[in-house]
C-alpha cells in the first residue's frame, strides 16, 4: 500500500534549498509571472482595440502572446505553491496533465509561427491575391488547428505514460516536462518512434515549413524593389527571431534531460528555469519594439503626452 502511495504522488526533486530561500523564490517568480501576464496582455489589448491592427498578421501575433500566457500558467502557479509548501509533490495524473499542456502549447507556438510565415509569404509574394486567400475564415481555421492538432497528438504519449509501469516516484525537476520519462522502468522502441513522430509533426515540420517559406520570401524580395525588401525585413525579422529563440529552447529542453546527471543540482535548476522565464517575456518585447504599428500604439499608451505634442 505504501509503495502504491509513493508512486501515486511524485516528489519534485529539482528545487535547491527551498526551505532557506522559499520567500525569495516566491517573490522573484511571482514578479516574473505578473510581468509575463502584463506585457503579453498589453500587446494583445493594443491589437484588439485598434482597428488598423485587425489584420491576419497581428491576429496571429495576439494568438501567439495569448499562447505564451497559457504556457506560463501551466507551470507558474504550481511553482509558486511549491515554494511555499513543506513538500514539493504532485499527483502523477496532475503531472501528466502538466506535461500534456506544456508540450501542446509548445507545439501550438510552432504552428502559429508557421501560419505567420504563410501569411507573410502571401502578403509579399502574392499581394494581389492576399485579400482572397487570407480571409477571416482562413485565419480562424489556422488558429483552431494550431491549438487542436498538438493537443490531440500529445494525447497519445500522455495516455501511454499513464499506463506505463513506474520504478521511482522522484522526478529530478521542478515541473513535469520530459523528465516524466525518467520515472518509467522501460521505454519501448515503439514508444520512442511514436514520440518521434509527434515531435516531427508538431515542431520539426512546422519549423522546416517556416524556413522554406522565408527562404522563398528572401529570394523574391531580393529580385524586387527596395520597398518590397524593406517590408519583408520589417515584418519577417521578428518572426524569425522568435522562431530561432523557440527552437533553441526546444533543443535546450532535450539536452538538459539527457545530460541531467552531468550537472550540479543548482545548474540544472537554472537551466530549467530558462525554458519558462526567457521565452514568454521575449515575445512581447520583440513584437512591441520591432513591429512598427504595434510600437507606435505602445508609445502612445506609455507616453500619451509626448505623442500629442
Amino acid at each position: 500500500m505504501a509503495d502504491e502511495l509513493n508512486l501515486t504522488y511524485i516528489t519534485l526533486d529539482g528545487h535547491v534549498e527551498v526551505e532557506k530561500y522559499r520567500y525569495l523564490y516566491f517573490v522573484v517568480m511571482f514578479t516574473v509571472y505578473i510581468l509575463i501576464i502584463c506585457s503579453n496582455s498589453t500587446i494583445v489589448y493594443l491589437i484588439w482595440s485598434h482597428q488598423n491592427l485587425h489584420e491576419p498578421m497581428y491576429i496571429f501575433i495576439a494568438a501567439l502572446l495569448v499562447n505564451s500566457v497559457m504556457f506560463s500558467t501551466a507551470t507558474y502557479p504550481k511553482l509558486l505553491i511549491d515554494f511555499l509548501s513543506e513538500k514539493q509533490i504532485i499527483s502523477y495524473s496532475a503531472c501528466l496533465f502538466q506535461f500534456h499542456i506544456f508540450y501542446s502549447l509548445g507545439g501550438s507556438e510552432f504552428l502559429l509561427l508557421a501560419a505567420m510565415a504563410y501569411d507573410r509569404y502571401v502578403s509579399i509574394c502574392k499581394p494581389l491575391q492576399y485579400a482572397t486567400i487570407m480571409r477571416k475564415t482562413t485565419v480562424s481555421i489556422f488558429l483552431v488547428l494550431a491549438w487542436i492538432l498538438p493537443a490531440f497528438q500529445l494525447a497519445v504519449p500522455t495516455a501511454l505514460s499513464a499506463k506505463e509501469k513506474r520504478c521511482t516516484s522522484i522526478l529530478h525537476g521542478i515541473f513535469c516536462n520530459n523528465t516524466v520519462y525518467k520515472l518509467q522502468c522501460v521505454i519501448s522502441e515503439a514508444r520512442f518512434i511514436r514520440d518521434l513522430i509527434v515531435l516531427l509533426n508538431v515542431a520539426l515540420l512546422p519549423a522546416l515549413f517556416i524556413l522554406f517559406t522565408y527562404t522563398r520570401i528572401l529570394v523574391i524580395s531580393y529580385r524586387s524593389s527596395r520597398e518590397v525588401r524593406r517590408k519583408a525585413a520589417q515584418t519577417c525579422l521578428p518572426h524569425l527571431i522568435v522562431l530561432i529563440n523557440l527552437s533553441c529552447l526546444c533543443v535546450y529542453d532535450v539536452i538538459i534531460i539527457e545530460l541531467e546527471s552531468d550537472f550540479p543540482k543548482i545548474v540544472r535548476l537554472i537551466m530549467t528555469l530558462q525554458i519558462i522565464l526567457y521565452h514568454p517575456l521575449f515575445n512581447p518585447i520583440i513584437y512591441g519594439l520591432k513591429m512598427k504599428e504595434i510600437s507606435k500604439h505602445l508609445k502612445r499608451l506609455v507616453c500619451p503626452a509626448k505623442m500629442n505634442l
Side-chain angles (χ1 to χ4, degrees), residues 132-152:
T132 305
I133 296 174
M134 296 304 296
R135 295 174 297 176
K136 287 184 178 180
T137 305
T138 307
V139 173
S140 299
I141 290 171
F142 282 163
L143 291 176
V144 170
L145 290 178
W147 275 307
I148 286 181
L149 287 180
F152 273 108

Side-chain angles (χ1 to χ4, degrees), residues 1 22 31 105 116 130 135 154 166 175 189 207 257 263 284 300:
M1 187 71 176
R22 67 171 73 251
T31 303
L105 294 175
M116 287 182 185
Y130 183 78
R135 295 174 297 176
L154 264 297
R166 301 185 299 281
F175 60 88
E189 185 177 339
I257 182 63
F263 295 108
R300 282 179 180 168

Side-chain angles (χ1 to χ4, degrees), residues 153-164:
Q153 293 198 59
L154 264 297
V156 175
T158 305
L160 289 173
S161 293
K163 296 179 180 179
E164 292 288 342

Side-chain angles (χ1 to χ4, degrees), residues 6 9-19 74-75 77-83 85-92 94-96 98 169-177 179-180 183 265 268-269 272:
N6 287 339
Y9 286 89
I10 307 302
T11 300
L12 300 168
D13 190 43
H15 295 275
V16 177
E17 296 192 58
V18 130
E19 299 83 5
T75 53
K78 175 60 174 137
L79 273 178
L80 294 173
I81 292 170
D82 284 341
F83 292 144
S85 302
E86 292 300 320
K87 293 183 180 180
Q88 291 72 48
I89 60 173
I90 185 172
S91 69
Y92 188 59
C95 187
L96 289 180
Q98 188 180 60
S169 61
I170 297 175
L171 189 149
H172 299 297
I174 57 175
F175 60 88
C176 298
N177 56 355
T179 49
V180 297
L183 302 173
K265 197 172 182 179
R268 279 190 280 120
L269 174 65
T272 304

Side-chain angles (χ1 to χ4, degrees), residues 221-234:
S221 300
Y222 181 76
R223 296 171 181 170
S224 303
S225 65
R226 178 176 294 181
E227 178 62 23
V228 173
R229 290 197 295 271
R230 186 193 63 80
K231 179 184 177 182
Q234 186 182 75

Side-chain angles (χ1 to χ4, degrees), residues 31-98:
T31 303
V32 171
Y33 186 42
I34 295 300
L35 282 173
I36 288 170
I37 292 175
C38 292
S39 59
N40 284 278
S41 298
T42 299
I43 306 299
V44 172
Y45 167 75
L46 290 175
I47 293 170
W48 173 76
S49 61
H50 292 90
Q51 192 66 35
N52 69 320
L53 299 182
H54 292 182
E55 297 178 8
M57 176 177 66
Y58 298 111
I59 292 171
F60 288 133
I61 290 174
L64 194 74
L65 299 181
V66 169
N67 197 73
S68 292
V69 173
M70 293 192 295
F71 179 84
S72 299
T73 303
T75 53
Y76 276 80
K78 175 60 174 137
L79 273 178
L80 294 173
I81 292 170
D82 284 341
F83 292 144
L84 298 181
S85 302
E86 292 300 320
K87 293 183 180 180
Q88 291 72 48
I89 60 173
I90 185 172
S91 69
Y92 188 59
S93 57
C95 187
L96 289 180
F97 179 73
Q98 188 180 60

